[in-house]
């Protein structure tokens, strides 16, 4: 659990609000994102597909 | 055979044009899909839910679930591929240009080559003992031409000069110009397709990329105060990583935090979860009654 006081990571990923989630593959590339509430089962399925 | 070649070239040009149009249409669809995720769309959804909350029909939890229905703006990486081709790959541009160059050269060689007639010297042009056409009898037109040349020989050099100054036939000139245009046209089509496939000719948003940007060189402090975590480490992770952005005063975040914690536990080695909190408001600003800032960071994950 991190706390980004300067919002640097938020800015780097262009996160407009919270909660939000960004799925990265093993090489760190963004593969998918969700804004606000989302289904965790969907996230797990997407991660298994990478 | 010549008509067959022209037909093949026309089919090739038409198919490349149709392919380019199809790729462009698919690209515009992808852009439209991505635009759903813009902050303006989020703000609109927030305002609608804010009005819903004011009517007193639902609490914060219900509002969060309702908001999840509007969170369908996630991008699907499969939409960003065309025929399984990675649109962002630069080698594709090189391959397409090389293929276009090769095709153009082949076409220029085949269509721009002179007719396979035996070479004739000046003496042969006079029709005095030169090689004859190897296939069949000479045509009436060729015989007439030879007679004309022989007549010019008898009349003297002034007549030959007049013949040489005669302008070429328009039909032959047009066909030659068309043949010379084929190679540049095919090359142009190949370059155009390459530009479209590699996003050189269109707008690309961050979400529309097949594989998004590499993790930024940012270090974020740990909530427990034990140093910082460099996001660059995620570039060589053992498993996919979920970055979850939250805020301490965000009710939806607090409602979602246990599910995120369960997700991290259930996923095992299949998924790593990194929660990144932030102090400033975002899309929840208009409908969440904010408690004192940073009052409940320990409630999240």
């Amino acid at each position: 659990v991190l706390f980004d006081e300067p919002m640097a990571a938020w800015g780097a990923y262009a996160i407009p609000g919270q909660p939000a989630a960004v799925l990265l593959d093993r090489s760190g590339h963004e593969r998918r994102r969700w804004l606000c509430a989302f289904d965790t089962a969907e996230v797990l399925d997407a991660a298994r597909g990478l | 055979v010549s008509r067959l070649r022209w037909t093949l070239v026309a089919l090739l040009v038409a198919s490349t044009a149709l392919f380019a149009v199809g790729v462009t249409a698919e690209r515009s669809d992808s852009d439209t899909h991505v635009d759903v995720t813009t902050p303006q769309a989020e703000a609109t959804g927030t305002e609608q839910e804010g009005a819903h909350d004011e009517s007193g029909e639902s609490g914060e939890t219900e509002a969060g679930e309702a908001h999840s229905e509007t969170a369908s703006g996630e991008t699907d990486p499969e939409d960003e591929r065309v025929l399984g081709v990675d649109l962002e790959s630069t080698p594709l541009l090189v391959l397409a240009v090389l293929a276009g160059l090769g095709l153009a050269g082949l076409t220029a060689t085949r269509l721009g080559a002179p007719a396979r007639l035996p070479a004739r010297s000046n003496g042969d042009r006079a029709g005095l003992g030169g090689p004859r056409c190897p296939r069949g009898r000479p045509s009436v037109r060729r015989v007439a031409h030879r007679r004309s040349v022989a007549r010019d020989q008898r009349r003297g050099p002034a007549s030959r000069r007049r013949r040489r100054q005669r302008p070429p036939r328009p039909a032959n000139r047009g066909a030659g110009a068309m043949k010379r245009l084929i190679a540049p046209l095919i090359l142009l089509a190949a370059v155009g397709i390459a530009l479209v496939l590699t996003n050189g000719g269109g707008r690309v948003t961050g979400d529309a990329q097949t594989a998004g940007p590499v993790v930024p060189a940012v270090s974020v402090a740990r909530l427990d105060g034990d140093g910082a975590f460099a996001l660059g480490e995620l570039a060589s992770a053992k498993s996919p990583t979920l970055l979850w952005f939250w805020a301490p005063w965000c009710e939806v975040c607090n409602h979602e935090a246990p599910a995120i914690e369960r997700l991290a536990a259930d996923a095992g080695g299949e998924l790593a979860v990194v929660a990144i909190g932030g102090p400033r408001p975002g899309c929840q600003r208009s409908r969440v009654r904010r408690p004192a800032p940073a009052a409940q960071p320990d409630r999240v994950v």
Side-chain angles (χ1 to χ4, degrees):
Chain A
V1 180
L2 313 174
F3 196 78
D4 190 10
E5 183 71 32
M7 305 281 280
W10 290 58
Y13 283 100
I15 302 299
Q18 67 292 321
V22 177
L23 181 63
L24 309 179
D25 61 14
R26 289 175 178 82
S27 59
H29 288 87
E30 177 180 338
R31 306 301 298 193
R32 197 164 173 181
R33 65 168 54 198
W34 295 265
L35 302 178
C36 299
F38 59 91
D39 184 9
T40 55
E42 187 181 349
V43 175
L44 196 54
D45 287 342
R48 284 171 177 158
L50 294 178
Chain B
V1 175
S2 177
R3 287 183 180 176
L4 181 61
R5 285 178 181 169
W6 279 103
T7 306
L8 287 175
V9 169
L11 283 175
L12 178 67
V13 172
S15 60
T16 52
L18 286 175
F19 184 69
V21 169
V23 169
T24 307
E26 189 158 341
R27 163 80 34 205
S28 62
D29 289 345
S30 177
D31 286 345
T32 305
H33 181 68
V34 169
D35 285 342
V36 177
T37 67
T38 57
Q40 287 79 9
E42 291 294 334
T44 304
T46 304
E47 289 172 6
Q48 291 172 353
E49 288 173 14
H52 191 64
D53 286 345
E54 288 172 6
S55 65
E57 294 180 17
S58 63
E60 292 295 340
T61 303
E62 190 175 351
E65 292 171 354
H67 200 86
S68 67
E69 296 174 2
T70 66
S72 60
E74 66 264 16
T75 58
D76 189 354
E78 296 300 323
D79 292 343
E80 294 141 13
R81 288 177 174 267
V82 175
L83 301 177
V85 177
D86 186 356
L87 299 182
E88 280 295 300
S89 58
T90 305
L92 186 64
L93 173 64
V94 179
L95 281 178
V97 171
L98 288 178
L101 282 173
L103 195 57
L106 182 66
T107 307
T109 303
R110 290 193 176 272
L111 294 182
R116 293 180 181 175
L117 294 177
R120 290 178 294 186
S121 64
N122 287 337
D124 296 333
R125 290 189 62 178
L128 303 175
R132 301 183 62 177
C133 181
R135 287 178 293 186
R137 294 176 56 191
S139 66
V140 175
R141 185 176 163 190
R142 187 174 299 279
V143 169
H145 172 72
R146 287 178 180 173
R147 286 176 180 170
S148 172
V149 171
R151 189 167 54 244
D152 290 342
Q153 283 264 326
R154 286 194 302 272
R155 288 179 181 173
S159 175
R160 283 201 295 273
R161 277 199 298 273
R162 281 199 299 275
R163 282 182 61 86
R164 288 193 188 108
Q165 291 170 358
R166 193 179 297 169
R169 295 176 182 176
N172 290 340
R173 186 174 55 188
M178 286 299 293
K179 287 178 180 178
R180 283 191 295 272
L181 279 176
I182 287 175
L185 282 177
I186 294 178
L187 178 61
L188 191 65
V191 172
I193 292 174
L195 285 176
V196 170
L197 287 178
T198 54
N199 290 324
R203 180 178 65 89
V204 183
T205 61
D207 291 347
Q209 297 174 0
T210 302
V214 186
V215 286
V218 172
S219 292
V220 183
R222 296 178 186 272
L223 188 62
D224 56 9
D226 187 16
F229 177 77
L231 294 184
E233 295 180 17
L234 301 177
S236 56
K238 294 178 181 177
S239 64
T241 305
L242 181 74
L243 301 178
W244 183 61
F245 294 87
W246 58 276
W249 46 266
C250 168
E251 288 294 332
V252 179
C253 302
N254 290 335
H255 179 260
E256 207 172 51
I260 297 294
E261 205 166 6
R262 279 196 302 273
L263 172 67
D266 296 342
E270 293 178 306
L271 179 69
V273 179
V274 176
I276 304 176
R280 288 181 220 148
C283 65
Q284 310 293 317
R285 173 175 45 191
S286 63
R287 67 184 177 87
V288 174
R289 287 176 291 277
R290 188 198 301 190
Q296 326 165 334
D298 53 342
R299 289 181 54 187
V300 182
V301 185

